[in-house]
Amino acid sequence: MMHADGRLIAFTPKLITVLREGYSIDRMRRDCVAGLTVAIVALPLAMALAIASGASPDKGLVTAIIAGFLISALGGSRVQIGGPTGAFVVVVFGVIAQHGYDGLLIATLMAGLMLIVAGYLGLGSLVRFIPQPVVTGFTAGIAVIIASSQVKDFLGLSMAHVPADFLPKWGAYFAALDSVRIVPLAVGAGSLGLIIALRKWAPRLPGFLIAVILAAAAVALLHLPVETIGSRFPDLPTDLPAPAFPDFSPAKLQAVIPSAFTIAFLAGIEALLSAVVADGMIGSRHRSNQELVGQGVANIASALFGGLPATGAIARTATNIKAGAITPVAGIMHALFLLLFILFASDLMAYVPLAALAAILFMVAWGMSEHHRFIQLLRMPNGDRSLLLLTFGLTVLVDLTVAIGVGVTLASLLFMMRMSQMVEIANDSGNGALSSEEAGEDIHQRDALPPRVEVFRIEGPVFFGVANELLDTLRRIGLPPKVIILRMRRVPLLDASGVTTIEEIVRQAGSASTQIIVSGIQAQPMAMLERVSLGPADRRVIFCGDFPEALRVARAIAGAPTAAAEQLN
């Protein structure tokens, strides 16, 4: 159990820690520069992600401001930047389409509460148990869906309705190819080319913002026939909305519970992965459980202000670090700079062409796809490769929630199968020689064993995946022996199924008048057996400290000559 002082530290926001260390003018300067840099990157990205999610662009900015501020102020990382991310686009779009925007706000509120509970339950460390093929599979799948959602705006297609599902969506695109408009395509392709060129030859410049500014200027000055944010969303607000609870009913609350779990899962996974990446870049260590608590509070507040789900953004966090950020103040300043933009420059958003935002999201999707890692995982063994492709396929073709559930379940089964293959259950009575259990132990020959004494050596964890195999091995010995020795020195773990198997072995041995001797058992398996009263107090099982002692006891039970017993010492 965690000590009280340790628990207090684990749930202390990093902002408080760094302020206690002392906050100088130089640190403030560096954090402000970093915050401004990240705000410039986040400005067009937040709007693009909101539109791709089926919401208005101001919702993305509200999320980046409210959630971004609270994630930095209350989180467990020094340099985490929070806000809307590409991982949520698919989920948010689906929730809005199915339950309306109020349904999304309710789901986000519930997800925030789940994250807070998860943090205080200490579940932050569980992120390391999500296997890489599952993470890469659904991340790449989300990237494909995001890119697919932007084809209409990038090509300027004339479509009254775009289907939500992947295959019907592409069918509709192909049916509308004759309506491609050259001007939106030129604006989108030019923006995409400019972003790629700036990344290659001037990576320190804010490519997203430069592309958006130039595209908006071209559309405004040349009066190009291109759909813009202003033409699609004519009533954009010029300040932050007042906080309010969404309208909800018990029926809607119940309906959005699966979506809330998905949002909470994605928010927790991406935030903690981003914090781990940040730790590697700055040589620090985040507080995973406090990070979940901060993410939870941020999502609740974002929903109350009408925003979208939020989490830690890996790309913006990396930008924050490269810009010189030292403390969470940089993330707070990033939110404040975005607020200033809404208050004093929101009219300029109306000129931003949607084709340029589509180009930005193509780049976001490419970065999310992790194509190098995807290709690398394709070279892995069949189990990992199948897990990757299945998660990817389910994400794209079925549903993200299904993909996560199936992926994690199959990964667990794959792990247990591999663990069961590592467990060795050998009959040391008939293999010619008994291998030593530890350095310096005598090697006992088959001829030295007393008659009607069987020896079984178990190596590896005995859990439900291998418990029945142990029972089947013992059943194959034929005529019941007088004594069975179970060598368990190399069994580090015994679960409930393993205990049940041992109980069944003891019961069957009792029916056949066979004595069970266990040698070299470790602390955890012994504690598990004692829970079901199979410890030393139960004389149905004899526990010996090592194998030579077990042999001496077995010889005494079997009635072997004392001289022969001496030969075993």
Side-chain angles (χ1 to χ4, degrees):
M1 183 178 294
M2 184 182 295
H3 191 271
D5 291 341
R7 185 171 179 82
L8 181 61
I9 294 174
F11 288 99
T12 299
K14 279 287 185 177
L15 177 63
I16 295 177
T17 300
V18 298
L19 292 179
R20 287 173 178 170
E21 294 172 352
Y23 195 70
S24 63
I25 295 297
D26 181 64
R27 282 190 164 193
M28 170 68 83
R29 179 188 61 80
R30 294 179 62 179
D31 283 337
C32 285
V33 170
L36 177 60
T37 303
V38 178
I40 291 173
V41 173
L43 177 62
L45 195 55
M47 293 190 293
L49 289 170
I51 293 173
S53 301
S56 58
D58 61 296
K59 304 299 185 184
L61 292 173
V62 167
T63 307
I65 293 169
I66 300 299
F69 181 94
L70 291 173
I71 286 172
S72 294
L74 301 178
S77 173
R78 284 179 177 263
V79 289
Q80 180 89 283
I81 297 294
T85 69
F88 287 125
V89 168
V90 181
V91 178
V92 171
F93 189 91
V95 175
I96 294 175
Q98 188 174 0
H99 304 291
Y101 201 79
D102 278 342
L104 173 68
L105 297 180
I106 296 170
T108 305
L109 277 169
M110 295 173 64
L113 292 173
M114 292 176 188
L115 287 167
I116 293 174
V117 171
Y120 283 118
L121 288 178
L123 301 183
S125 59
L126 293 182
V127 65
R128 65 178 184 268
F129 297 113
I130 305 297
Q132 191 61 53
V134 174
V135 175
T136 302
F138 75 70
T139 301
I142 291 170
V144 170
I145 295 175
I146 291 174
S148 298
S149 69
Q150 298 305 302
V151 172
K152 173 182 178 292
D153 289 335
F154 190 81
L155 299 179
L157 298 177
S158 298
M159 300 175 63
H161 171 69
V162 179
D165 294 333
F166 182 78
L167 293 179
K169 186 194 301 284
W170 277 97
Y173 286 156
F174 282 115
L177 279 180
D178 57 349
S179 66
V180 172
R181 291 184 290 159
I182 298 300
V183 176
L185 176 58
V187 171
S191 301
L192 183 61
L194 178 60
I195 294 170
I196 294 174
L198 289 174
R199 285 198 173 187
K200 183 175 182 180
W201 288 298
R204 297 184 66 87
L205 294 179
F208 288 167
L209 187 65
I210 292 174
V212 164
I213 290 175
L214 292 180
V219 169
L221 296 176
L222 301 178
H223 303 287
L224 299 177
V226 177
E227 190 174 16
T228 64
I229 288 178
S231 62
R232 183 175 291 184
F233 305 99
D235 299 320
L236 290 176
T238 58
D239 57 6
L240 285 178
F245 279 98
D247 294 330
F248 66 90
S249 62
K252 180 169 286 190
L253 197 68
Q254 184 177 1
V256 301
I257 286 177
S259 299
F261 273 108
T262 302
I263 291 171
F265 179 83
L266 286 177
I269 290 294
E270 190 166 2
L272 295 176
L273 287 176
S274 177
V276 169
V277 171
D279 287 349
M281 295 180 69
I282 66 174
S284 181
R285 185 177 180 182
H286 73 282
R287 295 165 182 159
S288 58
N289 294 317
Q290 179 58 34
E291 184 64 28
L292 290 182
V293 173
Q295 297 284 337
V297 174
N299 275 278
I300 292 173
S302 179
L304 292 177
F305 279 87
L308 306 170
T311 184
I314 296 177
R316 274 162 277 171
T317 298
T319 301
N320 190 39
I321 295 170
K322 293 176 182 177
I326 301 176
T327 74
V329 173
I332 292 174
M333 296 306 299
H334 132 270
L336 294 178
F337 281 123
L338 287 175
L339 175 61
L340 291 176
F341 176 81
I342 278 190
L343 295 177
F344 300 108
S346 60
D347 291 342
L348 299 178
M349 289 193 302
Y351 296 102
V352 176
L354 297 179
L357 294 183
I360 290 176
L361 285 172
F362 281 154
M363 294 302 298
V364 171
W366 178 252
M368 284 185 64
S369 68
E370 295 187 292
H371 57 284
H372 294 300
R373 181 168 292 172
F374 195 96
I375 294 172
Q376 184 184 61
L377 287 171
L378 287 176
R379 302 191 185 103
M380 294 291 109
N382 288 336
D384 294 312
R385 184 165 58 246
S386 300
L387 187 60
L388 169 74
L389 294 176
L390 181 63
T391 307
F392 174 78
L394 289 174
T395 301
V396 173
L397 300 176
V398 183
D399 180 74
L400 185 61
T401 307
V402 173
I404 294 171
V406 172
V408 171
T409 301
L410 289 182
S412 302
L413 293 175
L414 180 63
F415 170 76
M416 287 184 288
M417 182 186 72
R418 289 173 173 170
M419 287 296 295
S420 66
Q421 292 171 347
M422 295 177 62
V423 178
E424 180 182 355
I425 303 171
N427 187 344
D428 282 346
S429 306
N431 61 1
L434 303 177
S435 58
S436 63
E437 285 181 322
E438 57 189 14
E441 183 181 331
D442 296 332
I443 297 178
H444 301 278
Q445 299 298 325
R446 162 82 170 127
D447 294 339
L449 287 176
R452 300 192 64 190
V453 173
E454 294 285 342
V455 180
F456 290 89
R457 173 172 37 86
I458 310 171
E459 297 186 2
V462 179
F463 62 107
F464 63 90
V466 297
N468 288 333
E469 183 182 347
L470 172 60
L471 198 57
D472 292 340
T473 302
L474 293 175
R475 284 171 178 164
R476 288 195 292 266
I477 60 178
L479 183 67
K482 188 73 173 176
V483 179
I484 292 178
I485 301 177
L486 299 180
R487 303 175 68 180
M488 296 182 64
R489 185 183 300 277
R490 293 180 179 173
V491 177
L493 179 141
L494 191 69
D495 76 348
S497 296
V499 170
T500 301
T501 299
I502 299 295
E503 282 187 300
E504 179 63 18
I505 291 171
V506 172
R507 188 191 65 79
Q508 292 184 11
S511 299
S513 299
T514 299
Q515 177 64 56
I516 299 294
I517 300 176
V518 176
S519 71
I521 190 169
Q522 297 188 35
Q524 193 275 345
M526 175 62 85
M528 289 293 289
L529 291 177
E530 288 177 338
R531 286 175 180 265
V532 294
S533 302
L534 265 181
D538 188 341
R539 296 308 297 172
R540 292 179 298 167
V541 181
I542 298 176
F543 292 91
C544 297
D546 53 30
F547 182 57
E549 180 187 352
L551 270 178
R552 288 193 292 270
V553 174
R555 184 165 291 279
I557 294 173
T562 305
E566 292 298 326
Q567 294 175 6
L568 299 176
N569 296 330

